[in-house]
Amino acid sequence: MLTALGISGCEERVYRSFLDRGRAAVADVAASLGMPERDVHRSVARLGELGLLRATADGVHQPTDPQSALVPLLARRRFEAESELSSAGAEIARIAEQYREGRLRDDPRNLVEVLSDRESVIERVDQLTRSASSHVWALDRPPYMGRSDGRQHSNEDEEAITRAWLERGVDVRSIYCPQSMERPGRFATLLGLAERGERSRVLPSLPFKLHIIDRRVALVPLSGPVYDDLVVIHPSGMLDALMELYEAYWAGAVPLGRVAEASGPAAEAGSFDADDMVLLGMLKAGLKDQAIARQLGCSTRTASRRVAAVLAKLGADTRFQAGVTAAARGLL
């Protein structure tokens, strides 16, 4: 009955014998069960590791509260099973992709897939991203495809998906643009993901959307900026060219992250608080007042006043001057 919890039949017999007795010596349990004493010792040691038995004297043990011991064990086994099934699902997706690539190599005309209906696009993107095992590289810009239920992904969705990649050791690299920050609170979400291991950079603009998965497949919109029509590019000269293009964009982009704490003259002035540092980070990323307002949850007028206040503290008349001054003070 308890094999699902990782408890063998022999261990369960010993455990139930202790439950019946309440407190017993190993030798007595062995005699009552007709088992070799060494086998009972092994079972008792294992049950002790699981927290089901505790020693009270030399050779004497008694069971702990089963509710306190077995429920956490059940939860742990459930989590382990779900993790194993999740890993198996990802492996199946990789095997399916390997099979697909083998067939594509048989016919070079199939090195490019074209998907034209939204349901097929969502299903294919989900399959490829779930199977990612080494790399997820992205050029991120709106509009966004959304979820299968028609809703847009939330900041919580993005955090969960990216954290799952990072926990699997996937190299997550994303290049954003100011338009990527239209969703309220996304800037703070990206800062948090950067601290967890996502490598993030920003460019003033991006010409198109792109995802490269495991350096073996690329996803590119067929027409327009969104994945309504999708081209899936498999290993080929075209994929190599897209990876080279991505590296070129990456080299020219500015790292996205929290602005360093003030030091030197700025620290002596003591004029920049935590909110100012976050605002400087948004200015560094190229966000305009309207986008800053969405991230801060305030009106555009309030955001403009706060930007003006930071510029005044830096003694700058323009955002460009603010960037130069902040860099000189060690703030960027």
Side-chain angles (χ1 to χ4, degrees):
M1 292 293 290
L2 298 180
T3 53
L5 301 181
I7 299 172
S8 69
C10 178
E11 291 163 355
E12 184 174 350
R13 286 183 65 201
V14 172
Y15 177 54
R16 290 186 182 276
S17 179
F18 275 102
L19 287 174
D20 291 337
R21 294 167 177 269
R23 182 175 180 274
V26 169
D28 294 337
V29 172
S32 68
L33 295 175
M35 293 173 56
E37 196 168 322
R38 65 176 180 276
D39 292 346
V40 176
H41 271 294
R42 279 197 295 267
S43 295
V44 166
R46 169 68 174 153
L47 293 168
E49 292 173 359
L50 296 175
L52 298 175
L53 292 180
R54 65 183 181 87
T56 59
D58 187 25
V60 177
H61 296 75
Q62 71 178 38
T64 60
D65 179 2
Q67 191 75 12
S68 300
L70 290 173
V71 171
L73 183 59
L74 174 63
R76 187 176 73 187
R77 292 291 293 178
R78 180 179 288 126
F79 174 77
E80 291 171 351
E82 290 174 352
S83 298
E84 290 172 1
L85 289 173
S86 177
S87 298
E91 187 60 30
I92 290 171
R94 283 191 286 270
I95 290 171
E97 187 60 26
Q98 184 178 1
Y99 167 77
R100 185 191 300 271
E101 289 176 358
R103 295 190 63 188
L104 289 172
R105 281 192 292 271
D106 290 340
D107 185 353
R109 291 174 299 177
N110 293 327
L111 288 173
V112 175
E113 299 176 59
V114 179
L115 304 175
S116 56
D117 66 279
R118 188 173 183 275
E119 185 176 342
S120 297
V121 169
I122 291 176
E123 180 180 356
R124 191 75 173 102
V125 170
D126 181 62
Q127 178 195 37
L128 289 169
T129 53
R130 281 192 298 107
S131 68
S133 60
S134 60
H135 300 80
V136 174
W137 297 352
L139 297 180
D140 182 288
R141 55 160 293 177
Y144 298 103
M145 181 176 62
R147 304 180 349 168
S148 57
D149 59 9
R151 294 189 296 142
Q152 289 295 316
H153 285 285
S154 65
N155 294 323
E156 292 75 18
D157 292 335
E158 180 173 18
E159 183 175 5
I161 293 169
T162 306
R163 284 182 62 181
W165 286 330
L166 294 171
E167 288 169 1
R168 296 206 302 267
V170 175
D171 174 28
V172 183
R173 294 167 60 184
S174 302
I175 303 175
Y176 301 96
C177 61
Q179 290 73 31
S180 305
M181 309 301 168
E182 290 182 352
R183 187 172 71 224
R186 195 183 189 200
F187 186 80
T189 299
L190 296 181
L191 289 181
L193 290 173
E195 291 178 349
R196 290 182 178 275
E198 178 183 352
R199 294 195 286 164
S200 311
R201 295 190 175 183
V202 183
L203 283 173
S205 63
L206 291 171
F208 59 92
K209 298 171 70 71
L210 170 68
H211 282 80
I212 297 173
I213 311 295
D214 291 345
R215 298 173 60 90
R216 62 178 173 78
V217 65
L219 311 178
V220 185
L222 178 62
S223 59
V226 72
Y227 286 151
D228 286 333
D229 301 290
L230 180 69
V231 177
V232 183
I233 301 169
H234 294 271
S236 60
M238 189 181 303
L239 177 60
D240 293 341
L242 286 172
M243 289 193 291
E244 289 291 332
L245 178 64
Y246 187 87
E247 293 289 6
Y249 279 126
W250 182 261
V254 177
L256 175 69
R258 295 191 186 278
V259 174
E261 292 297 328
S263 60
E268 294 171 7
S271 57
F272 291 91
D273 58 22
D275 291 339
D276 291 334
M277 306 304 281
V278 171
L279 192 56
L280 278 172
M282 294 184 191
L283 293 175
K284 171 187 172 184
L287 272 65
K288 303 300 183 185
D289 291 356
Q290 189 173 3
I292 290 173
R294 280 194 292 269
Q295 301 307 310
L296 297 178
C298 64
S299 67
T300 303
R301 178 176 298 179
T302 298
S304 298
R305 284 201 301 268
R306 293 184 61 177
V307 169
V310 169
L311 265 59
K313 290 179 182 181
L314 289 168
D317 295 325
T318 66
R319 291 173 187 246
F320 177 77
Q321 290 177 346
V324 172
T325 304
R329 293 190 182 187
L331 295 171
L332 297 179

